[in-house]
PDB file of all heavy atoms in Angstrom:
ATOM      1  N   ASP D  22     -90.040 -78.927 -86.904  1.00  0.00           N
ATOM      2  CA  ASP D  22     -90.506 -79.332 -85.583  1.00  0.00           C
ATOM      3  C   ASP D  22     -90.488 -80.852 -85.444  1.00  0.00           C
ATOM      4  O   ASP D  22     -90.305 -81.382 -84.354  1.00  0.00           O
ATOM      5  CB  ASP D  22     -91.941 -78.839 -85.347  1.00  0.00           C
ATOM      6  CG  ASP D  22     -92.049 -77.339 -85.485  1.00  0.00           C
ATOM      7  OD1 ASP D  22     -91.275 -76.633 -84.832  1.00  0.00           O
ATOM      8  OD2 ASP D  22     -92.905 -76.876 -86.261  1.00  0.00           O
ATOM      9  N   GLN D  23     -90.724 -81.531 -86.555  1.00  0.00           N
ATOM     10  CA  GLN D  23     -90.766 -82.986 -86.574  1.00  0.00           C
ATOM     11  C   GLN D  23     -90.030 -83.460 -87.816  1.00  0.00           C
ATOM     12  O   GLN D  23     -90.131 -82.850 -88.880  1.00  0.00           O
ATOM     13  CB  GLN D  23     -92.218 -83.466 -86.616  1.00  0.00           C
ATOM     14  CG  GLN D  23     -92.382 -84.958 -86.642  1.00  0.00           C
ATOM     15  CD  GLN D  23     -93.852 -85.383 -86.703  1.00  0.00           C
ATOM     16  OE1 GLN D  23     -94.755 -84.567 -86.681  1.00  0.00           O
ATOM     17  NE2 GLN D  23     -94.084 -86.669 -86.794  1.00  0.00           N
ATOM     18  N   VAL D  24     -89.285 -84.544 -87.680  1.00  0.00           N
ATOM     19  CA  VAL D  24     -88.567 -85.109 -88.817  1.00  0.00           C
ATOM     20  C   VAL D  24     -89.042 -86.544 -89.036  1.00  0.00           C
ATOM     21  O   VAL D  24     -89.045 -87.351 -88.117  1.00  0.00           O
ATOM     22  CB  VAL D  24     -87.039 -85.106 -88.586  1.00  0.00           C
ATOM     23  CG1 VAL D  24     -86.318 -85.762 -89.755  1.00  0.00           C
ATOM     24  CG2 VAL D  24     -86.530 -83.691 -88.364  1.00  0.00           C
ATOM     25  N   VAL D  25     -89.488 -86.821 -90.250  1.00  0.00           N
ATOM     26  CA  VAL D  25     -89.813 -88.180 -90.659  1.00  0.00           C
ATOM     27  C   VAL D  25     -88.578 -88.700 -91.384  1.00  0.00           C
ATOM     28  O   VAL D  25     -88.131 -88.100 -92.368  1.00  0.00           O
ATOM     29  CB  VAL D  25     -91.047 -88.211 -91.596  1.00  0.00           C
ATOM     30  CG1 VAL D  25     -91.255 -89.611 -92.159  1.00  0.00           C
ATOM     31  CG2 VAL D  25     -92.284 -87.733 -90.861  1.00  0.00           C
ATOM     32  N   LEU D  26     -88.022 -89.779 -90.860  1.00  0.00           N
ATOM     33  CA  LEU D  26     -86.806 -90.317 -91.462  1.00  0.00           C
ATOM     34  C   LEU D  26     -87.118 -91.086 -92.739  1.00  0.00           C
ATOM     35  O   LEU D  26     -88.095 -91.826 -92.813  1.00  0.00           O
ATOM     36  CB  LEU D  26     -86.077 -91.227 -90.470  1.00  0.00           C
ATOM     37  CG  LEU D  26     -85.524 -90.514 -89.240  1.00  0.00           C
ATOM     38  CD1 LEU D  26     -84.859 -91.527 -88.309  1.00  0.00           C
ATOM     39  CD2 LEU D  26     -84.544 -89.423 -89.627  1.00  0.00           C
ATOM     40  N   ARG D  27     -86.270 -90.880 -93.727  1.00  0.00           N
ATOM     41  CA  ARG D  27     -86.400 -91.568 -95.004  1.00  0.00           C
ATOM     42  C   ARG D  27     -86.021 -93.029 -94.796  1.00  0.00           C
ATOM     43  O   ARG D  27     -84.888 -93.345 -94.423  1.00  0.00           O
ATOM     44  CB  ARG D  27     -85.482 -90.898 -96.026  1.00  0.00           C
ATOM     45  CG  ARG D  27     -85.774 -91.300 -97.429  1.00  0.00           C
ATOM     46  CD  ARG D  27     -85.043 -90.443 -98.449  1.00  0.00           C
ATOM     47  NE  ARG D  27     -83.618 -90.422 -98.235  1.00  0.00           N
ATOM     48  CZ  ARG D  27     -82.888 -89.307 -98.220  1.00  0.00           C
ATOM     49  NH1 ARG D  27     -83.440 -88.127 -98.406  1.00  0.00           N
ATOM     50  NH2 ARG D  27     -81.589 -89.363 -98.024  1.00  0.00           N
ATOM     51  N   ARG D  28     -87.001 -93.910 -94.986  1.00  0.00           N
ATOM     52  CA  ARG D  28     -86.792 -95.352 -94.781  1.00  0.00           C
ATOM     53  C   ARG D  28     -87.092 -96.129 -96.054  1.00  0.00           C
ATOM     54  O   ARG D  28     -86.235 -96.746 -96.631  1.00  0.00           O
ATOM     55  CB  ARG D  28     -87.675 -95.869 -93.652  1.00  0.00           C
ATOM     56  CG  ARG D  28     -87.434 -95.205 -92.326  1.00  0.00           C
ATOM     57  CD  ARG D  28     -86.323 -95.907 -91.580  1.00  0.00           C
ATOM     58  NE  ARG D  28     -86.240 -95.358 -90.224  1.00  0.00           N
ATOM     59  CZ  ARG D  28     -85.115 -95.004 -89.655  1.00  0.00           C
ATOM     60  NH1 ARG D  28     -83.980 -95.130 -90.285  1.00  0.00           N
ATOM     61  NH2 ARG D  28     -85.105 -94.508 -88.431  1.00  0.00           N
ATOM     62  N   ARG D  29     -88.386 -96.122 -96.467  1.00  0.00           N
ATOM     63  CA  ARG D  29     -88.805 -96.909 -97.642  1.00  0.00           C
ATOM     64  C   ARG D  29     -89.064 -95.995 -98.828  1.00  0.00           C
ATOM     65  O   ARG D  29     -88.348 -96.017 -99.813  1.00  0.00           O
ATOM     66  CB  ARG D  29     -90.047 -97.728 -97.304  1.00  0.00           C
ATOM     67  CG  ARG D  29     -89.796 -98.808 -96.261  1.00  0.00           C
ATOM     68  CD  ARG D  29     -91.052 -99.604 -95.967  1.00  0.00           C
ATOM     69  NE  ARG D  29     -92.156 -98.749 -95.581  1.00  0.00           N
ATOM     70  CZ  ARG D  29     -92.537 -98.495 -94.338  1.00  0.00           C
ATOM     71  NH1 ARG D  29     -91.899 -99.046 -93.337  1.00  0.00           N
ATOM     72  NH2 ARG D  29     -93.552 -97.709 -94.079  1.00  0.00           N
ATOM     73  N   ASN D  30     -90.144 -95.213 -98.749  1.00  0.00           N
ATOM     74  CA  ASN D  30     -90.464 -94.263 -99.811  1.00  0.00           C
ATOM     75  C   ASN D  30     -91.265 -93.126 -99.199  1.00  0.00           C
ATOM     76  O   ASN D  30     -91.806 -93.248 -98.098  1.00  0.00           O
ATOM     77  CB  ASN D  30     -91.207 -94.935-100.970  1.00  0.00           C
ATOM     78  CG  ASN D  30     -92.540 -95.508-100.556  1.00  0.00           C
ATOM     79  OD1 ASN D  30     -93.429 -94.782-100.139  1.00  0.00           O
ATOM     80  ND2 ASN D  30     -92.689 -96.823-100.685  1.00  0.00           N
ATOM     81  N   ALA D  31     -91.357 -92.015 -99.898  1.00  0.00           N
ATOM     82  CA  ALA D  31     -92.000 -90.811 -99.365  1.00  0.00           C
ATOM     83  C   ALA D  31     -93.440 -91.067 -98.946  1.00  0.00           C
ATOM     84  O   ALA D  31     -93.870 -90.630 -97.874  1.00  0.00           O
ATOM     85  CB  ALA D  31     -91.934 -89.674-100.384  1.00  0.00           C
ATOM     86  N   THR D  32     -94.188 -91.797 -99.745  1.00  0.00           N
ATOM     87  CA  THR D  32     -95.595 -92.024 -99.433  1.00  0.00           C
ATOM     88  C   THR D  32     -95.758 -92.766 -98.115  1.00  0.00           C
ATOM     89  O   THR D  32     -96.442 -92.299 -97.203  1.00  0.00           O
ATOM     90  CB  THR D  32     -96.296 -92.789-100.567  1.00  0.00           C
ATOM     91  OG1 THR D  32     -96.255 -91.995-101.754  1.00  0.00           O
ATOM     92  CG2 THR D  32     -97.738 -93.098-100.212  1.00  0.00           C
ATOM     93  N   SER D  33     -95.157 -93.930 -97.989  1.00  0.00           N
ATOM     94  CA  SER D  33     -95.350 -94.715 -96.763  1.00  0.00           C
ATOM     95  C   SER D  33     -94.695 -94.056 -95.562  1.00  0.00           C
ATOM     96  O   SER D  33     -95.253 -94.084 -94.459  1.00  0.00           O
ATOM     97  CB  SER D  33     -94.861 -96.150 -96.942  1.00  0.00           C
ATOM     98  OG  SER D  33     -93.482 -96.183 -97.223  1.00  0.00           O
ATOM     99  N   ASP D  34     -93.543 -93.448 -95.740  1.00  0.00           N
ATOM    100  CA  ASP D  34     -92.860 -92.807 -94.612  1.00  0.00           C
ATOM    101  C   ASP D  34     -93.657 -91.616 -94.081  1.00  0.00           C
ATOM    102  O   ASP D  34     -93.898 -91.498 -92.881  1.00  0.00           O
ATOM    103  CB  ASP D  34     -91.453 -92.348 -95.016  1.00  0.00           C
ATOM    104  CG  ASP D  34     -90.515 -93.502 -95.331  1.00  0.00           C
ATOM    105  OD1 ASP D  34     -90.818 -94.663 -94.945  1.00  0.00           O
ATOM    106  OD2 ASP D  34     -89.481 -93.250 -95.975  1.00  0.00           O
ATOM    107  N   ILE D  35     -94.094 -90.733 -94.966  1.00  0.00           N
ATOM    108  CA  ILE D  35     -94.829 -89.536 -94.535  1.00  0.00           C
ATOM    109  C   ILE D  35     -96.219 -89.900 -94.030  1.00  0.00           C
ATOM    110  O   ILE D  35     -96.679 -89.391 -93.007  1.00  0.00           O
ATOM    111  CB  ILE D  35     -94.871 -88.480 -95.653  1.00  0.00           C
ATOM    112  CG1 ILE D  35     -93.453 -87.933 -95.879  1.00  0.00           C
ATOM    113  CG2 ILE D  35     -95.853 -87.349 -95.316  1.00  0.00           C
ATOM    114  CD1 ILE D  35     -93.288 -87.046 -97.080  1.00  0.00           C
ATOM    115  N   ARG D  36     -96.892 -90.814 -94.711  1.00  0.00           N
ATOM    116  CA  ARG D  36     -98.233 -91.206 -94.257  1.00  0.00           C
ATOM    117  C   ARG D  36     -98.180 -91.987 -92.949  1.00  0.00           C
ATOM    118  O   ARG D  36     -99.174 -92.088 -92.244  1.00  0.00           O
ATOM    119  CB  ARG D  36     -98.983 -91.957 -95.333  1.00  0.00           C
ATOM    120  CG  ARG D  36     -99.463 -90.982 -96.420  1.00  0.00           C
ATOM    121  CD  ARG D  36    -100.560 -91.567 -97.252  1.00  0.00           C
ATOM    122  NE  ARG D  36    -101.029 -90.606 -98.232  1.00  0.00           N
ATOM    123  CZ  ARG D  36    -102.233 -90.080 -98.213  1.00  0.00           C
ATOM    124  NH1 ARG D  36    -103.080 -90.400 -97.261  1.00  0.00           N
ATOM    125  NH2 ARG D  36    -102.598 -89.226 -99.145  1.00  0.00           N
ATOM    126  N   GLY D  37     -97.027 -92.505 -92.583  1.00  0.00           N
ATOM    127  CA  GLY D  37     -96.867 -93.112 -91.265  1.00  0.00           C
ATOM    128  C   GLY D  37     -97.012 -92.068 -90.168  1.00  0.00           C
ATOM    129  O   GLY D  37     -97.531 -92.339 -89.086  1.00  0.00           O
ATOM    130  N   ALA D  38     -96.576 -90.847 -90.448  1.00  0.00           N
ATOM    131  CA  ALA D  38     -96.685 -89.746 -89.488  1.00  0.00           C
ATOM    132  C   ALA D  38     -97.966 -88.954 -89.676  1.00  0.00           C
ATOM    133  O   ALA D  38     -98.539 -88.429 -88.722  1.00  0.00           O
ATOM    134  CB  ALA D  38     -95.483 -88.812 -89.634  1.00  0.00           C
ATOM    135  N   LEU D  39     -98.426 -88.843 -90.921  1.00  0.00           N
ATOM    136  CA  LEU D  39     -99.647 -88.103 -91.268  1.00  0.00           C
ATOM    137  C   LEU D  39    -100.544 -89.027 -92.087  1.00  0.00           C
ATOM    138  O   LEU D  39    -100.502 -88.997 -93.321  1.00  0.00           O
ATOM    139  CB  LEU D  39     -99.303 -86.859 -92.101  1.00  0.00           C
ATOM    140  CG  LEU D  39     -98.425 -85.796 -91.474  1.00  0.00           C
ATOM    141  CD1 LEU D  39     -98.002 -84.765 -92.510  1.00  0.00           C
ATOM    142  CD2 LEU D  39     -99.165 -85.130 -90.331  1.00  0.00           C
ATOM    143  N   PRO D  40    -101.364 -89.853 -91.432  1.00  0.00           N
ATOM    144  CA  PRO D  40    -102.164 -90.842 -92.167  1.00  0.00           C
ATOM    145  C   PRO D  40    -103.030 -90.263 -93.286  1.00  0.00           C
ATOM    146  O   PRO D  40    -103.227 -90.916 -94.306  1.00  0.00           O
ATOM    147  CB  PRO D  40    -103.023 -91.488 -91.073  1.00  0.00           C
ATOM    148  CG  PRO D  40    -102.228 -91.299 -89.824  1.00  0.00           C
ATOM    149  CD  PRO D  40    -101.533 -89.974 -89.987  1.00  0.00           C
ATOM    150  N   GLY D  41    -103.502 -89.045 -93.131  1.00  0.00           N
ATOM    151  CA  GLY D  41    -104.318 -88.420 -94.174  1.00  0.00           C
ATOM    152  C   GLY D  41    -103.498 -87.756 -95.254  1.00  0.00           C
ATOM    153  O   GLY D  41    -104.029 -87.216 -96.211  1.00  0.00           O
ATOM    154  N   GLY D  42    -102.193 -87.791 -95.118  1.00  0.00           N
ATOM    155  CA  GLY D  42    -101.295 -87.119 -96.063  1.00  0.00           C
ATOM    156  C   GLY D  42    -101.010 -85.698 -95.639  1.00  0.00           C
ATOM    157  O   GLY D  42    -101.711 -85.123 -94.812  1.00  0.00           O
ATOM    158  N   ALA D  43     -99.985 -85.128 -96.209  1.00  0.00           N
ATOM    159  CA  ALA D  43     -99.606 -83.742 -95.921  1.00  0.00           C
ATOM    160  C   ALA D  43    -100.528 -82.797 -96.685  1.00  0.00           C
ATOM    161  O   ALA D  43    -100.747 -82.990 -97.879  1.00  0.00           O
ATOM    162  CB  ALA D  43     -98.161 -83.498 -96.347  1.00  0.00           C
ATOM    163  N   PRO D  44    -101.096 -81.794 -96.021  1.00  0.00           N
ATOM    164  CA  PRO D  44    -101.954 -80.856 -96.739  1.00  0.00           C
ATOM    165  C   PRO D  44    -101.187 -80.083 -97.806  1.00  0.00           C
ATOM    166  O   PRO D  44    -101.737 -79.713 -98.833  1.00  0.00           O
ATOM    167  CB  PRO D  44    -102.494 -79.935 -95.651  1.00  0.00           C
ATOM    168  CG  PRO D  44    -101.660 -80.173 -94.445  1.00  0.00           C
ATOM    169  CD  PRO D  44    -100.986 -81.503 -94.607  1.00  0.00           C
ATOM    170  N   ALA D  45     -99.906 -79.870 -97.558  1.00  0.00           N
ATOM    171  CA  ALA D  45     -99.033 -79.216 -98.541  1.00  0.00           C
ATOM    172  C   ALA D  45     -97.647 -79.814 -98.379  1.00  0.00           C
ATOM    173  O   ALA D  45     -97.210 -80.087 -97.271  1.00  0.00           O
ATOM    174  CB  ALA D  45     -98.999 -77.714 -98.324  1.00  0.00           C
ATOM    175  N   LEU D  46     -96.971 -80.006 -99.481  1.00  0.00           N
ATOM    176  CA  LEU D  46     -95.643 -80.596 -99.449  1.00  0.00           C
ATOM    177  C   LEU D  46     -94.741 -79.786-100.366  1.00  0.00           C
ATOM    178  O   LEU D  46     -95.097 -79.510-101.506  1.00  0.00           O
ATOM    179  CB  LEU D  46     -95.715 -82.055 -99.926  1.00  0.00           C
ATOM    180  CG  LEU D  46     -94.458 -82.885 -99.754  1.00  0.00           C
ATOM    181  CD1 LEU D  46     -94.830 -84.314 -99.402  1.00  0.00           C
ATOM    182  CD2 LEU D  46     -93.591 -82.853-100.983  1.00  0.00           C
ATOM    183  N   ILE D  47     -93.594 -79.392 -99.849  1.00  0.00           N
ATOM    184  CA  ILE D  47     -92.593 -78.688-100.652  1.00  0.00           C
ATOM    185  C   ILE D  47     -91.527 -79.706-101.020  1.00  0.00           C
ATOM    186  O   ILE D  47     -90.842 -80.245-100.154  1.00  0.00           O
ATOM    187  CB  ILE D  47     -91.982 -77.500 -99.879  1.00  0.00           C
ATOM    188  CG1 ILE D  47     -93.080 -76.506 -99.503  1.00  0.00           C
ATOM    189  CG2 ILE D  47     -90.889 -76.835-100.714  1.00  0.00           C
ATOM    190  CD1 ILE D  47     -92.609 -75.399 -98.580  1.00  0.00           C
ATOM    191  N   ASP D  48     -91.406 -79.979-102.296  1.00  0.00           N
ATOM    192  CA  ASP D  48     -90.497 -81.002-102.808  1.00  0.00           C
ATOM    193  C   ASP D  48     -89.202 -80.352-103.270  1.00  0.00           C
ATOM    194  O   ASP D  48     -89.119 -79.832-104.381  1.00  0.00           O
ATOM    195  CB  ASP D  48     -91.181 -81.756-103.952  1.00  0.00           C
ATOM    196  CG  ASP D  48     -90.295 -82.810-104.599  1.00  0.00           C
ATOM    197  OD1 ASP D  48     -89.227 -83.134-104.034  1.00  0.00           O
ATOM    198  OD2 ASP D  48     -90.682 -83.311-105.667  1.00  0.00           O
ATOM    199  N   CYS D  49     -88.191 -80.410-102.430  1.00  0.00           N
ATOM    200  CA  CYS D  49     -86.869 -79.866-102.781  1.00  0.00           C
ATOM    201  C   CYS D  49     -85.939 -80.962-103.293  1.00  0.00           C
ATOM    202  O   CYS D  49     -84.819 -80.678-103.685  1.00  0.00           O
ATOM    203  CB  CYS D  49     -86.241 -79.197-101.562  1.00  0.00           C
ATOM    204  SG  CYS D  49     -87.177 -77.796-100.945  1.00  0.00           S
ATOM    205  N   ALA D  50     -86.400 -82.198-103.257  1.00  0.00           N
ATOM    206  CA  ALA D  50     -85.557 -83.334-103.629  1.00  0.00           C
ATOM    207  C   ALA D  50     -85.890 -83.904-104.998  1.00  0.00           C
ATOM    208  O   ALA D  50     -85.400 -84.969-105.356  1.00  0.00           O
ATOM    209  CB  ALA D  50     -85.691 -84.426-102.577  1.00  0.00           C
ATOM    210  N   ALA D  51     -86.731 -83.219-105.758  1.00  0.00           N
ATOM    211  CA  ALA D  51     -87.139 -83.675-107.089  1.00  0.00           C
ATOM    212  C   ALA D  51     -87.773 -85.061-107.058  1.00  0.00           C
ATOM    213  O   ALA D  51     -87.521 -85.899-107.914  1.00  0.00           O
ATOM    214  CB  ALA D  51     -85.966 -83.626-108.064  1.00  0.00           C
ATOM    215  N   LEU D  52     -88.621 -85.293-106.050  1.00  0.00           N
ATOM    216  CA  LEU D  52     -89.377 -86.547-105.999  1.00  0.00           C
ATOM    217  C   LEU D  52     -90.458 -86.565-107.070  1.00  0.00           C
ATOM    218  O   LEU D  52     -90.837 -87.618-107.554  1.00  0.00           O
ATOM    219  CB  LEU D  52     -90.007 -86.735-104.619  1.00  0.00           C
ATOM    220  CG  LEU D  52     -89.032 -86.903-103.455  1.00  0.00           C
ATOM    221  CD1 LEU D  52     -89.778 -86.898-102.136  1.00  0.00           C
ATOM    222  CD2 LEU D  52     -88.220 -88.173-103.624  1.00  0.00           C
ATOM    223  N   ASN D  53     -90.981 -85.375-107.400  1.00  0.00           N
ATOM    224  CA  ASN D  53     -91.992 -85.213-108.439  1.00  0.00           C
ATOM    225  C   ASN D  53     -93.185 -86.142-108.210  1.00  0.00           C
ATOM    226  O   ASN D  53     -93.787 -86.101-107.149  1.00  0.00           O
ATOM    227  CB  ASN D  53     -91.376 -85.377-109.827  1.00  0.00           C
ATOM    228  CG  ASN D  53     -90.244 -84.405-110.067  1.00  0.00           C
ATOM    229  OD1 ASN D  53     -90.259 -83.289-109.577  1.00  0.00           O
ATOM    230  ND2 ASN D  53     -89.250 -84.823-110.813  1.00  0.00           N
ATOM    231  N   ALA D  54     -93.522 -86.991-109.170  1.00  0.00           N
ATOM    232  CA  ALA D  54     -94.705 -87.848-109.063  1.00  0.00           C
ATOM    233  C   ALA D  54     -94.634 -88.771-107.852  1.00  0.00           C
ATOM    234  O   ALA D  54     -95.663 -89.131-107.278  1.00  0.00           O
ATOM    235  CB  ALA D  54     -94.877 -88.663-110.338  1.00  0.00           C
ATOM    236  N   GLN D  55     -93.433 -89.136-107.416  1.00  0.00           N
ATOM    237  CA  GLN D  55     -93.283 -89.999-106.254  1.00  0.00           C
ATOM    238  C   GLN D  55     -93.771 -89.319-104.971  1.00  0.00           C
ATOM    239  O   GLN D  55     -94.088 -89.995-103.997  1.00  0.00           O
ATOM    240  CB  GLN D  55     -91.830 -90.411-106.080  1.00  0.00           C
ATOM    241  CG  GLN D  55     -91.300 -91.255-107.215  1.00  0.00           C
ATOM    242  CD  GLN D  55     -89.799 -91.455-107.104  1.00  0.00           C
ATOM    243  OE1 GLN D  55     -89.212 -91.315-106.038  1.00  0.00           O
ATOM    244  NE2 GLN D  55     -89.176 -91.787-108.214  1.00  0.00           N
ATOM    245  N   ALA D  56     -93.852 -87.978-104.961  1.00  0.00           N
ATOM    246  CA  ALA D  56     -94.305 -87.248-103.782  1.00  0.00           C
ATOM    247  C   ALA D  56     -95.825 -87.156-103.707  1.00  0.00           C
ATOM    248  O   ALA D  56     -96.374 -86.889-102.637  1.00  0.00           O
ATOM    249  CB  ALA D  56     -93.703 -85.844-103.776  1.00  0.00           C
TER     250      ALA D  56
END
């Protein structure tokens, strides 16, 4: 429904859209600890 474009890193990009963080995140890109 919404796409957050990859710009800097997963944390800052996603928290720009969801300041409290994602309640659940499915990591298909092997970000691992970076997610």
Side-chain angles (χ1 to χ4, degrees):
D22 302 307
Q23 180 181 358
V24 177
V25 172
L26 294 178
R27 194 169 55 228
R28 300 273 188 227
R29 294 181 305 262
N30 62 63
T32 297
S33 62
D34 294 343
I35 292 171
R36 285 199 178 246
L39 298 171
L46 189 144
I47 300 172
D48 178 12
C49 298
L52 295 173
N53 303 327
Q55 296 171 21

